[in-house]
Amino acid sequence: DSIVYVAGAGPVGLACAASCHLLGAACVIVGDAIPQRLEQARSFGCETIDIRTDGALGDKLAAITGFPTVDSAIDCVGFEARGAVDGQEVPAQVLNDCMSIVREGGNIGIPGLYVTEDPGSADDAAKLGNLSMRFGLGWSKSASMHTGQCPVMQYHRPLMNAIMYDKIKIADAVNVKVISLDDAPKGYQNFDQGAAAKYVIDPHGLTNLTAAV
């Protein structure tokens, strides 16, 4: 019965949103700046927010649920986050968004990747792994924060069963496209450009599902 905000509608964010439904969330809201990815999120029952539009994120949430906060906020973007308007690199953008919209005593999940150093960053602090986080805001809300690599082995069996018995249609949720090894470079190019798809490479044609990119 919880309300969850998922930042990022790439494959990780879409899989996260589908998992929130599986775990019983009443409302899952996905935020992104790419319309095609938001459309994909809506295809399996998510509410969506185009973060490029004017206004505070809390106000956009309130337009959907009547409240400017959520029970849980999940960062599926990571350190490559960019500003909603100018598209410039803002490594801590999503972390700060999550702390601003989670309710008091809420939860923040961070499966998005963060690195110890980012030498190529335009942000001098981020080059050394330092982010401009509003940590005091998260602390003042007594928010619980969970991060690190997902313990995938813990979930393999229950997820397999959920998929086999059609409790979750994860391939549909992330829009899987099976491609050949020859098409892999094009798949990576499309993904970098924000394609609303999860490309799965079948190098030996074993699935008989391979399609052109």
Side-chain angles (χ1 to χ4, degrees):
D1 60 352
S2 58
I3 297 174
V4 182
Y5 176 73
V6 177
V12 173
L14 294 172
C16 173
S19 298
C20 291
H21 282 151
L22 181 64
L23 293 172
C27 179
V28 180
I29 305 165
V30 178
D32 203 283
I34 300 175
Q36 294 87 345
R37 289 186 169 184
L38 294 175
E39 182 179 354
Q40 179 62 28
R42 288 192 293 271
S43 74
F44 59 96
C46 297
E47 300 289 340
T48 60
I49 290 176
D50 187 337
I51 62 171
R52 299 171 303 169
T53 58
D54 293 336
L57 181 56
D59 293 336
K60 297 173 185 177
L61 291 170
I64 296 171
T65 67
F67 300 95
T69 58
V70 295
D71 299 298
S72 299
I74 306 173
D75 173 2
C76 294
V77 178
F79 76 101
E80 293 182 309
R82 297 184 178 277
V85 178
D86 58 14
Q88 297 300 307
E89 184 179 300
V90 187
Q93 179 70 57
V94 177
L95 289 174
N96 288 328
D97 284 347
C98 288
M99 285 188 281
S100 71
I101 62 170
V102 74
R103 65 168 173 79
E104 287 76 4
N107 295 283
I108 299 173
I110 313 170
L113 174 64
Y114 287 89
V115 293
T116 55
E117 295 180 353
D118 182 16
S121 175
D123 184 293
D124 288 338
K127 290 179 180 179
L128 301 175
N130 298 318
L131 303 179
S132 300
M133 290 174 56
R134 297 185 64 193
F135 192 78
L137 178 59
W139 184 92
S140 69
K141 291 185 173 184
S142 298
S144 296
M145 300 177 67
H146 306 268
T147 188
Q149 293 187 358
C150 295
V152 294
M153 295 302 293
Q154 177 180 341
Y155 301 112
H156 270 183
R157 180 176 174 79
L159 277 175
M160 176 189 70
N161 287 334
I163 292 168
M164 288 178 63
Y165 292 98
D166 287 332
K167 297 298 183 182
I168 184 171
K169 296 183 181 296
I170 194 64
D172 291 342
V174 302
N175 194 25
V176 163
K177 304 292 184 186
V178 182
I179 62 175
S180 69
L181 186 60
D182 290 340
D183 281 337
K186 180 63 175 177
Y188 277 106
Q189 181 181 359
N190 289 353
F191 182 76
D192 284 343
Q193 293 173 351
K198 170 65 174 178
Y199 293 106
V200 176
I201 301 172
D202 180 6
H204 304 296
L206 299 178
T207 64
N208 293 320
L209 297 174
T210 304
V213 177

